Amino acid sequence: MKLNTVYRIVSYVEGISYILLLGIGVPLKYLYLNDSWVKALGMPHGLLFIAYIFLTIAMKQKYNWPNSKTAIFYVAAIIPFGTFYSDYRYLRNL
């Protein structure tokens, strides 16, 4: 499988896990004192986040991205829906 395909898949799954964590896990934890969703989603999201960062580094090297473009992908990982935007804006034409 090509690097950009793997990157796009990890980007989507990381974005979905982040939205689930923030949209379901955190409200349940603080509104209903039920941290089971945070425990269930936290580790997979963390692993996906790390994979996303390492794959961003690999994409930077493969496509010779400038630091400013790479920074956009790093920031996208911490903003809800950011990975979807960065995929739409920068990756769909690779």
Side-chain angles (χ1 to χ4, degrees), residues 16 34 36 43 68 84 86:
I16 291 168
N34 181 355
S36 61
M43 180 64 77
S68 58
F84 305 119
S86 64

Side-chain angles (χ1 to χ4, degrees), residues 26-66:
V26 173
L28 285 176
K29 179 178 180 177
Y30 291 107
L31 295 176
Y32 299 106
L33 303 175
N34 181 355
D35 65 349
S36 61
W37 279 86
V38 172
K39 288 181 179 178
L41 294 171
M43 180 64 77
H45 169 69
L47 294 173
L48 287 165
F49 179 81
I50 291 168
Y52 178 83
I53 296 300
F54 281 121
L55 286 170
T56 300
I57 293 167
M59 291 287 285
K60 175 187 174 25
Q61 292 172 350
K62 179 177 181 178
Y63 292 104
N64 200 23
W65 287 347

Side-chain angles (χ1 to χ4, degrees), residues 7 52 56-57 59-77 82 85-94:
Y7 186 69
Y52 178 83
T56 300
I57 293 167
M59 291 287 285
K60 175 187 174 25
Q61 292 172 350
K62 179 177 181 178
Y63 292 104
N64 200 23
W65 287 347
N67 289 336
S68 58
K69 185 174 183 177
T70 307
I72 291 169
F73 287 94
Y74 291 146
V75 171
Y85 172 77
S86 64
D87 178 73
Y88 175 77
R89 176 79 166 86
Y90 298 103
L91 298 176
R92 66 184 169 144
N93 296 324
L94 286 181

Side-chain angles (χ1 to χ4, degrees), residues 5-16:
T5 304
V6 172
Y7 186 69
R8 292 186 75 189
I9 291 169
V10 169
S11 174
Y12 270 107
V13 177
E14 194 275 335
I16 291 168

